[in-house]
Amino acid sequence: MIKIQSDYQKRPIRFLQLWENGGWSLKVYGISYSSEYPSNKLMDKAKELARDILPFPAVTKNRYGLGFIGVHEGSGANFIFIDWWSNENELNHHVYVESHGDPGMFKYVTPKGLIACCWDLKVLSYERDCWVESVLNNSTGSPDIDLYLNMHLNEDV
């Protein structure tokens, strides 16, 4: 039998801003176990990590300069995930974790196989649906980038 250490508690997932940097347009989401929004320090770290991992140029034949960042202030650790769309329907996903026992030290954990926690998965699922609706299967017959960038998740999950 699986032993659960704590009861599930809903957390706020909030769209925080559209961050534009070096040709990239990224939706930024915040998730926090203890407040409405993650700390500004954590937000700044997410942008620093994004600048380091995002490929440049942002827009190429197979890359659109579009994606999202998740900043999750968790109870046992902090998580940052940086995602962008490429090759029409593929999501590039990169995860960093900061243990509360080792503040300031974010480790790149993507090669270890970690994808996301149950709250982060809500953001990934929502963004997948936005991409399909606004880009891949837009009712106008052509991608609508503005529609994609204006679709935001704000929900307690």
Side-chain angles (χ1 to χ4, degrees):
M1 177 173 217
I2 298 173
K3 183 178 179 182
I4 305 297
Q5 294 181 14
S6 62
D7 291 334
Y8 179 85
Q9 298 292 319
K10 287 187 174 186
R11 296 184 184 180
I13 298 175
R14 301 292 182 255
F15 171 77
L16 302 176
Q17 71 180 114
L18 179 62
W19 184 59
E20 295 181 327
N21 183 273
W24 286 96
S25 294
L26 302 168
K27 301 182 207 181
V28 180
Y29 290 99
I31 305 169
S32 178
Y33 81 99
S34 65
S35 64
E36 190 74 11
Y37 306 103
S39 71
N40 287 334
K41 181 179 177 183
L42 198 52
M43 296 295 299
D44 291 343
K45 185 64 176 182
K47 292 173 185 175
E48 176 188 322
L49 291 170
R51 282 189 283 274
D52 289 344
I53 195 79
L54 290 169
F56 288 94
V59 179
T60 65
K61 178 181 174 191
N62 296 317
R63 193 171 48 240
Y64 319 105
L66 301 169
F68 53 96
I69 297 172
V71 181
H72 187 166
E73 196 167 51
S75 61
N78 295 323
F79 303 84
I80 294 170
F81 52 96
I82 302 161
D83 297 69
W84 64 88
W85 295 102
S86 65
N87 297 315
E88 191 174 296
N89 58 17
E90 296 174 0
L91 184 64
N92 297 266
H93 182 70
H94 298 269
V95 181
Y96 299 84
V97 177
E98 173 196 44
S99 165
H100 287 316
D102 200 5
M105 297 301 297
F106 277 85
K107 295 180 179 152
Y108 183 63
V109 298
T110 305
K112 295 182 181 207
L114 177 65
I115 295 173
C117 73
C118 61
W119 294 279
D120 299 346
L121 282 172
K122 181 67 174 184
V123 176
L124 294 169
S125 174
Y126 177 83
E127 284 296 315
R128 176 258 179 216
D129 292 346
C130 292
W131 190 256
V132 169
E133 181 180 333
S134 62
V135 176
L136 298 179
N137 195 31
N138 188 303
S139 61
T140 66
S142 62
D144 188 337
I145 301 308
D146 289 333
L147 176 61
Y148 172 73
L149 292 174
N150 285 299
M151 298 171 85
H152 306 144
L153 176 61
N154 287 294
E155 188 176 335
D156 292 345
V157 176

